[in-house]
Amino acid sequence: MMLTARVVLKALRTRFIDQRPFILSHLITARCNADCVTCLWKRPANAATEELGTAEIQSLYRDAAATGFRFLVLWGGEPLLRADTGDVLRTARESGLKTTLITNGWWLARRADEVLPWADRLMVSVDGIGERHDEVRRMPGLFERLEEGIARARRDYPAVSVVVNTVLSRLNLDQIEGIAELGRRYGTRVSFQAMDETDYGYGTRKPGLGSVQLDGDQAAEAASRIADLRQRRYPVTDSNAYLARIGPDAAAWRCHFKKVCLRIEPNGDVLDCTRDAVALSNARRCPLRQFTRSDEFTEFLARAERCNRCRDYAVVEISHLWEGKVEALWNAVRTLS
């Protein structure tokens, strides 16, 4: 419950006092060893990039902590493609940040001792059971290795909170109950989120994604089944308010996510999510304290608040939490405790 209390207190301070983000979301790389059909962010695993180096990332995390950030979400691409993931997680933890690592699990069991001592939360991507997962991720043998990684984390690092995350698409609509059962079997939380095409990053691959995105009726069906799993006490984290946003009759909502969470691209850019591939700042050139107190950032927050095109789980849930919706607060307690 201590982590939950810290989130709530920091959220209240952000909401009513300083109004500056306290979650740092870092795509440490856009490279990935998988080739997921639904992915918006991937670049080839051997692509030439301008990724921040180890020392630059460590400096970024220390700067974030000094600026008032309290949480780091480390993802990609596949973060375990980088040899320094454990080192930078350690720097984040020692700087006072609570850490979440998101991975596809391919290297998780083999690198657990490098990364899990410095992780407070582990999120593993699961898009189906067995061969279906491997088909969606276009990576034979992945499901077996991620199960090995989850089992290792639960056995050797029980203090690390584990969440299974699923991107819903036409490729796995029949897998929802099986994934929930997987979470129950391993004692992990399970979150479902609707796939969409709204990401604004440099690596976005929009062409063709519409063919696998759920249509309105399919999304409504998925939401109903997930709500039923919650009623049956499966460890599903999706709130009813979020599930209501992914069907054809979704009500309008206001985005407050960027007031809470700042996203850093692999090269250090901070992108404007209201405009594709437009950089507002870069962590190499501008300290976070300076940027988050700038007029440009304040103007960006105002633009972002007028947008509600995303169906991303975190974006919607945090926006509901910002507005003080009771279910969103209770869901945060359930998820983080």
Side-chain angles (χ1 to χ4, degrees), residues 49-110:
T49 67
E50 298 180 47
E51 294 173 7
L52 298 176
T54 304
E56 290 177 310
I57 294 171
Q58 291 171 322
S59 177
L60 170 64
Y61 294 170
R62 294 185 186 106
D63 178 29
T67 299
F69 286 82
R70 292 294 176 263
F71 302 90
L72 168 70
V73 179
L74 187 64
W75 60 301
E78 174 46 51
L80 295 184
L81 268 173
R82 291 188 53 137
D84 62 355
T85 304
D87 292 333
V88 299
L89 279 171
R90 177 173 182 169
T91 297
R93 171 73 73 74
E94 292 178 344
S95 299
L97 299 175
K98 292 291 184 179
T99 59
T100 296
L101 172 66
I102 302 177
T103 176
N104 66 30
W106 181 261
W107 287 291
L108 180 57
R110 301 175 191 196

Side-chain angles (χ1 to χ4, degrees), residues 34-37 103-106 124-147 164-167 171-172 175 179 182:
D35 188 26
C36 307
V37 178
T103 176
N104 66 30
W106 181 261
V124 181
S125 303
V126 179
D127 288 334
I129 302 300
E131 291 183 0
R132 178 66 64 82
H133 178 72
D134 296 352
E135 291 167 2
V136 174
R137 299 258 155 178
R138 293 193 280 214
M139 194 173 187
L142 178 56
F143 185 80
E144 181 179 354
R145 290 182 66 147
L146 77 84
E147 274 207 299
V164 166
N165 182 65
T166 298
V167 176
L171 303 175
N172 62 4
Q175 299 288 297
I179 294 169
L182 176 80

